[in-house]
């Protein structure tokens, strides 16, 4: 039997080139959408519906959803939440359903929406992602949200960290140049992710918005033991035994 | 006055996201199209017309062009040349016009064909590329040919080598994450490019075709003092004073 492989796609724009049957797509938007989703699901949020447009998000408000939205790092006018992970930890959100639209992260999730298996990855739940993928033993595609369809460093670093562990297990192989690049970048940056990213384009954008605390949280590894997955109805929910059966 | 910047685009697929007025586009397909173009122009080939399809290349044969073509690393049936740099050094080609179609390189050139300034880069003419760009002082976009619209390592390493020198000059700036990634990769690999690339996907493909000598040539730096540029009629020619005026 062929060993499962791991590939890295640097932006939603390139996803059609990497799409493959049966693969598990790990969507990552480290700063900050998928970190916030992990924080929310770990907090006890019931579900998160990723939506692409602001109007679509607003329409969920009428259905009783909490509406969360951000563009270019700032909370949208009239929205209850942006995509700060800390705002997703609010106890008031326990049991609630959220509709979320962000500049890059929700776009990445939607671009892969037809995939059979979508999970949500971030540094904060890296260990849970690894554990899930080692159990599944399926081909893995790390889909980086990037920045407006371009490559970004922080999502690539996550891809590198994940690839290193999957390859180290001996269960996975790769012949993908972008995976190799991600590994070299993570090895280079791992001792001080925050320092390495201080000149990155998106980090610089967020720095201007005084989001240092968010950034520190988003770059911390294994803070949460949670695996958000997309259920068959398109909601991001906590992985449970039942979800596994559905997959 | 704003300093000119440098950006790196990892594949022709993403070029529309990076296109900018007045920028100089450096097209690179290290293994092997742009290395072969440099070898040909340095050898005294009069011009090289990049064409996308095999039929288009054949139509140039009727106009007296030497026809060169490759798909997936192998010379096309009935074509006089593939894209081995050594075949472009043949003295019989001096003064000739070549029509060239390759898997990735000519596609990359064609994708940027409407740009005002297109030059051809490879490790073999890195110094000439740097000199030209330092003189031009325009925004620079390194357009990597990649592999079938995906990221590849060897073109990215070239981009890193080039970016390091432009930034070192103090004339250029960057706020582009892919440029930073390319720099880290080149710094990591520079002491032994061939060794670093031995596991790369395209390198592996070429290895199977016994192209070790070609690869060694393509990874050697500053072998040629030549700058192929696209002229106003869409031919790749040697840069001359007149060409500079046209630019």
């Amino acid at each position: 039997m062929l060993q499962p492989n791991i590939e890295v796609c640097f932006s939603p724009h390139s996803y059609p080139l990497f799409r493959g049957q049966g693969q598990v797509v790990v969507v990552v938007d480290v700063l900050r959408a998928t970190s916030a989703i992990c924080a929310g699901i770990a907090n006890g949020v019931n579900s998160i519906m990723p939506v692409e447009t602001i109007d679509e998000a607003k329409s969920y408000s009428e259905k009783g959803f909490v509406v969360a939205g951000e563009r270019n790092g700032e909370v949208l006018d009239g929205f209850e939440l942006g995509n700060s992970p800390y705002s997703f930890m609010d106890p008031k959100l326990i049991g609630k359903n959220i509709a979320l639209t962000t500049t890059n992260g929700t776009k990445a999730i939607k671009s892969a929406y037809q995939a059979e298996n979508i999970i949500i990855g971030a540094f904060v739940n890296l260990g849970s992602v690894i554990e899930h993928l080692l159990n599944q033993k399926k081909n893995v595609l790390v889909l980086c949200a990037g920045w407006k369809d371009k490559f970004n460093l922080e999502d690539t670093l996550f891809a590198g960290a994940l690839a290193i562990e999957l390859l180290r297990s001996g269960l996975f192989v790769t012949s993908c140049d972008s995976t190799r690049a991600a590994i070299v970048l993570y090895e280079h940056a791992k001792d001080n992710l925050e320092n390495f990213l201080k000149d990155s384009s998106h980090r610089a954008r967020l720095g201007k918005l005084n989001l240092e605390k968010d950034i520190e949280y988003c770059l911390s590894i294994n803070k949460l033991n949670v695996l958000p997955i997309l259920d068959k109805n398109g909601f991001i929910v906590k992985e449970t035994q039942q979800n596994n059966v559905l997959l």
Side-chain angles (χ1 to χ4, degrees), chain A residues 42-132:
Chain A
N43 176 32
V45 166
N46 184 58
S47 77
I48 299 174
M49 169 56 70
V51 297
E52 278 189 274
T53 67
I54 296 170
D55 283 347
E56 200 183 346
K58 284 178 180 168
S59 76
Y60 275 93
S61 179
E62 293 152 21
K63 297 174 198 163
F65 283 63
V66 176
V67 181
E70 159 272 352
R71 285 295 179 273
N72 301 316
E74 303 197 68
V75 181
L76 286 164
D77 272 354
F79 278 53
E80 293 155 82
L81 302 170
N83 68 349
S84 163
Y86 285 103
S87 66
F88 278 69
M89 296 173 198
D90 188 334
K92 286 182 203 157
L93 296 173
I94 296 172
K96 293 285 171 65
N97 300 304
I98 295 176
L100 173 66
T101 181
T102 75
T103 312
N104 303 293
T106 53
K107 183 177 173 182
I109 297 167
K110 294 297 262 191
S111 73
Y113 220 50
Q114 301 307 316
E116 294 151 68
N117 313 293
I118 298 181
I119 68 175
I120 301 298
F123 281 117
V124 292
N125 76 332
L126 177 62
S128 302
V129 171
I130 292 167
E131 190 186 338
H132 178 82

Side-chain angles (χ1 to χ4, degrees), chain A residues 134 161-172 186-187 190:
Chain A
L134 292 176
L162 177 56
I164 288 167
E165 292 305 323
L166 295 186
L167 294 172
R168 188 175 285 157
S169 75
L171 294 172
F172 287 80
Y186 185 71
E187 290 288 2
K190 66 182 179 187

Side-chain angles (χ1 to χ4, degrees), chain A residues 91 177 189:
Chain A
D177 274 12

Side-chain angles (χ1 to χ4, degrees), chain A residues 184-198:
Chain A
V184 170
L185 288 163
Y186 185 71
E187 290 288 2
H188 175 84
K190 66 182 179 187
D191 292 335
N192 194 337
L193 293 179
E194 207 163 342
N195 196 45
F196 178 72
L197 288 171
K198 74 178 190 304

